[in-house]
Amino acid sequence: QVQLVQSGAEVKKPGASVKVSCKASGYTFTSYYMHWVRQAPGQGLEWMGIINPSGGSTSYAQKFQGRVTMTRDTSTSTVYMELSSLRSEDTAVYYCAKGLDYWGQGALVTVSS
Amino acid sequence: QSVLTQPPSASGTPGQRVTISCSGSSSNIGSNTVNWYQQLPGTAPKLLIYSNNQRPSGVPDRFSGSKSGTSASLAISGLQSDDEADYYCAAWDDSLNGWVFGGGTKLTVL
């Protein structure tokens, strides 16, 4: 069965970067795009961008352009999302989602001084 | 401010039928298909409906979706206490070149 297992919770200071991982199993990793979606506390869902695990091409939401980098490692079926220049408003649960159908369990990133 | 507009709350009693609306524009719902997600408290979203009205395997047929023009709806019949959750609509937006979500609707089963 499809499983997306994300890395654990992180606490970062403003201005720092965070890198969240998402390890996929149960399907052909390179056959489906992976999305990243975040959810601030008590708020709705916000799409951040997408990566094609096959070739590594990416497309980011305009809001995150210049601050987000999505990469993948086909040898371990893992995708990564790195967000830089963190601010308090980036405090959220970050989800990876295969084709927006199966979702990881989420990774809480807290930005606090 | 979400690109897709949903009512913030909805409610119904067990056994009732409730509908949740999702309003968009020509660049998203008007030209692309709609997904619906259910998010139970403290869990990740779960795909409920894709391509406007298709249910993934395992999703009960009590859940149905429809789309007309630039709006979509999710209907839940035979409401159960387990249906108490947040529901989100989503669609690709051609102008933004990205996926957009509704602000979510909190469903309460009275």
Side-chain angles (χ1 to χ4, degrees), chain A residues 50-113:
Chain A
I50 190 171
I51 181 169
N52 178 355
S54 178
S57 61
T58 55
S59 179
Y60 305 136
Q62 188 158 12
K63 176 176 180 177
F64 300 102
Q65 296 261 7
R67 274 210 310 145
V68 70
T69 304
M70 297 177 188
T71 56
R72 95 289 189 218
D73 181 345
T74 55
S75 68
T76 59
S77 298
T78 302
V79 295
Y80 301 90
M81 187 283 301
E82 184 169 22
L83 189 62
S84 62
S85 303
L86 289 169
R87 33 206 188 236
S88 59
E89 310 89 88
D90 294 317
T91 294
V93 175
Y94 289 77
Y95 294 102
C96 59
K98 163 196 162 288
L100 283 181
D101 50 17
Y102 287 92
W103 294 56
Q105 85 276 17
L108 174 63
V109 175
T110 303
V111 183
S112 173
S113 55

Side-chain angles (χ1 to χ4, degrees), chain A residues 102, chain B residues 50 55-59:
Chain A
Y102 287 92
Chain B
Y50 67 96
R55 282 186 309 275
S57 61
V59 174

Side-chain angles (χ1 to χ4, degrees), chain B residues 49-60:
Chain B
I49 298 287
Y50 67 96
S51 295
N52 303 327
N53 55 17
Q54 302 299 301
R55 282 186 309 275
S57 61
V59 174

Side-chain angles (χ1 to χ4, degrees), chain B residues 34-89:
Chain B
V34 177
N35 291 353
W36 287 92
Y37 297 89
Q38 177 192 59
Q39 187 176 33
L40 299 169
T43 68
K46 170 191 169 185
L47 181 64
L48 213 53
I49 298 287
Y50 67 96
S51 295
N52 303 327
N53 55 17
Q54 302 299 301
R55 282 186 309 275
S57 61
V59 174
D61 58 7
R62 299 187 299 106
F63 295 91
S64 62
S66 64
K67 184 184 108 168
S68 178
T70 58
S71 294
S73 291
L74 172 71
I76 309 171
S77 60
L79 202 59
Q80 301 177 359
S81 57
D82 289 352
D83 298 332
E84 198 159 274
D86 293 324
Y87 292 83
Y88 294 90
C89 57

